[in-house]
Amino acid sequence: MEILILQGSARKNGNTNKIVNYIQEKIDCDFTDLKDYIISNYDYNSRNREDDFLPLIREVVEYDLIIFATPIYWYSMSGIMKTFFDRITDCLKIEKETGRKLRGKSMAMVSCGSDKDSVLAISAAFEMPFRESAFYLGMEYKGSAYTWLDTNDISEEVTQNLDTFIDKITK
Ligand SMILES: Cc1cc2nc3c(=O)[nH]c(=O)nc-3n(C[C@H](O)[C@H](O)[C@H](O)COP(=O)(O)O)c2cc1C
């Protein structure tokens, strides 16, 4: 199974990346950082079709499992991640062949917030756009991991969450 972790944080080597690194130590997967790409907001007239989105999504759809890794910003996914999701609309309009390749593939999500209470309080609502997008795109939603970093190190509890998540998504 070919697995891609797609990171969408406002910083390359921040907390989300620490969580991503942990997952990468446990499973064989490729990594893409959305910060390395210029992806502009969705445009109804597709005037941004020359930016980095279409070449990137053509690569992403070749994976069997895509793990979206996002920090929690204002109770939601990061803006960079949301823009990526908005642009998937291009795959329903101007690049349908690419969009169709997502059918039958799998999606999972890992989020990283600042502390346990605030992360768990919003977990169901936070997950909804990922779960529903997977359903809409004909993908299997394999689940999520909720993580937080209140110190520099990943806590035992978060480690356990991640191990359970990794077991589940790689079955
Ligand atoms: C713009 C912004 C908004 C944030 N909003 C939330 C929030 O709603 N809930 C939360 O738990 N943490 C929030 N945080 C804290 C981050 O989720 C947390 O520090 C996370 O680990 C940062 O990951 P990063 O280093 O990949 O950006 C916010 C941080 C920023 C910069």
Side-chain angles (χ1 to χ4, degrees), residues 9-11 14-17 71-76 112-115 118-119 122 148-149:
S9 169
R11 51 183 179 176
N15 293 347
T16 306
N17 188 248
I72 300 174
Y73 292 161
W74 288 99
Y75 315 101
S76 308
C112 181
S114 50
D115 64 278
S118 53
V119 168
I122 61 161
W148 55 91
L149 274 171

Side-chain angles (χ1 to χ4, degrees), residues 22-23 26-27 162-171:
Y22 181 86
I23 298 171
K26 301 270 170 163
I27 56 175
L162 285 169
D163 289 345
T164 305
F165 170 72
I166 289 164
D167 274 355
K168 192 167 149 193
I169 62 171
T170 51
K171 266 191 189 131

Side-chain angles (χ1 to χ4, degrees), residues 23-137:
I23 298 171
Q24 281 183 294
E25 281 167 20
K26 301 270 170 163
I27 56 175
D28 182 21
C29 58
D30 290 340
F31 170 75
T32 293
D33 185 353
L34 290 175
K35 254 189 110 51
D36 291 333
Y37 298 82
I38 294 168
I39 299 175
S40 60
N41 291 333
Y42 177 69
D43 183 86
Y44 274 93
N45 297 310
S46 306
R47 283 168 296 210
N48 49 7
R49 65 175 73 212
E50 300 301 330
D51 74 7
D52 292 340
F53 176 75
L54 290 174
L56 175 60
I57 193 74
R58 287 178 198 131
E59 290 177 20
V60 169
V61 298
E62 297 302 328
Y63 287 88
D64 304 302
L65 169 63
I66 303 151
I67 304 171
F68 290 92
T70 176
I72 300 174
Y73 292 161
W74 288 99
Y75 315 101
S76 308
M77 71 177 84
S78 66
I80 192 168
M81 183 69 81
K82 179 59 165 55
T83 298
F84 182 84
F85 270 91
D86 286 355
R87 289 295 299 280
I88 294 176
T89 310
D90 287 348
C91 296
L92 309 174
K93 302 205 165 188
I94 58 167
E95 183 105 354
K96 291 182 184 170
E97 271 310 301
T98 302
R100 276 195 272 270
K101 287 189 178 173
L102 287 169
R103 286 186 199 157
K105 304 287 177 72
S106 299
M107 181 193 297
M109 181 273 289
V110 57
S111 67
C112 181
S114 50
D115 64 278
K116 179 180 177 180
D117 289 347
S118 53
V119 168
L120 295 187
I122 61 161
S123 59
F126 190 91
E127 185 173 37
M128 189 268 286
F130 296 91
R131 184 185 291 281
E132 293 300 323
S133 299
F135 180 70
Y136 188 84
L137 293 165

